Amino acid sequence: MVTKKIILTGDRPTGPLHLGHYVGSLKARVKFQNQYETYIIIADMQALTDNADNPEKITKNVFEVVLDYLSVGINPKISTIFIQSLVPELAELTMYFLNLVTLSRLERNPTVKDEMKQKGFGGNLPAGFLMYPVSQAADIAAFRADLVPVGVDQLPMIEQTVEIVKKFNKIYKPVLVEPKSLVSKISRLPGIDGKEKMGKSLGNAINLSDSSDVVAKKVMSMYTDPRHIHVEDPGKVEGNIVFTYLEAFDPDKKTVEELKRQYRRGGLGDVAIKKRLIEVLENFLSPIRKKRAEFAKNPKAVMKILEEGTKKARMMASQTLSEVRRAMKLDYF
Ligand code: TRP
């Protein structure tokens, strides 16, 4: 029997998924689900690390995130979608892993550092937040994932996972798998405000679930070249977000190249390129919206997908955990 390689990846259910998630990770998941045994974690425990006082937000978004998954083409018949908190083995493994990492190593994680700044914890940093990369390492290791398709901001987490897995295998027994990350070509989509990253909490995202009107409004407000004032002025394509998005979503690459040439030369207005982008995004998002609406009509069936996925995921994780316990000499009876 040839066993398939394993993918584990997922998201925090803190808000709707957006175009950045799509190019950074969702697209790869849809593509690879036929080839790899795919597990997708809805990381509600990780989401609570900075939302402890607002659990309703997390519960509500679990449902929205599953709808996002299903609507972009993640097939629940072949991919296993599950809820992190309902697999307690992950919390157990996190506890064992915490002894294999130092506090100063956790404080060096660049993504966590950025997030800490952005969220402005000041002196009130929750301990759970600082150590969430360890919990993420447990997510990945419990499924013995070979591959983790993620956006670039998640690379430090995979690095941390590899370190912990190596240490575990060396100290105890080699029962865990060192994962590799899989980053897409366009791995980071800028926000509509021109900021480096499109972010759930930055208010600069186009969501997969946004209506046509909202998408059009967001595109019209997009950052372009601030020095391109008159249509006849030559404009800059580099750093011009409208072109970045066209490159990511317009299937007609030749026309995009031609538009770039025209824009550079002068004579092509911002409204014209924005109109094209609206059309391109409509073509991309309208089948996604349709699928979403169909699944949303039947919330019971959606919850059933989650329930069954979670059952299957738990079986896998508990198998790994028995081996982990044996390796750590915690198999007392
Ligand atoms: N950190 C990821 C995010 O911010 C979510 C996540 C939790 C994850 N566990 C994971 C991603 C394991 C990949 C693998 O959305």
Side-chain angles (χ1 to χ4, degrees), residues 8-12 41 43 46 132 136 139-140 148 150 154:
L8 180 289
T9 183
D11 299 276
R12 288 181 210 172
I41 185 169
Q46 188 179 113
Y132 89 70
Q136 186 157 338
D139 300 338
I140 297 168
V148 189
V150 283
Q154 294 294 303

Side-chain angles (χ1 to χ4, degrees), residues 1 5 15 18 31 48 55 63 77 97 135 163 174 177 191 214-215 233 252 295 309 314:
M1 196 176 87
K5 290 211 169 196
H18 51 62
K31 179 171 156 210
L48 282 167
F63 187 70
K77 292 203 177 79
F97 278 2
S135 138
E163 283 172 34
V177 173
V214 170
V215 172
D233 292 344
D252 181 356
F295 281 110
R314 188 158 186 205

Side-chain angles (χ1 to χ4, degrees), residues 18-27 184 186-189 248-249:
H18 51 62
L19 294 180
H21 291 111
Y22 184 81
V23 297
S25 173
L26 294 172
K27 193 177 175 183
S184 65
I186 307 171
S187 61
R188 178 174 273 177
L189 202 64
F249 292 98

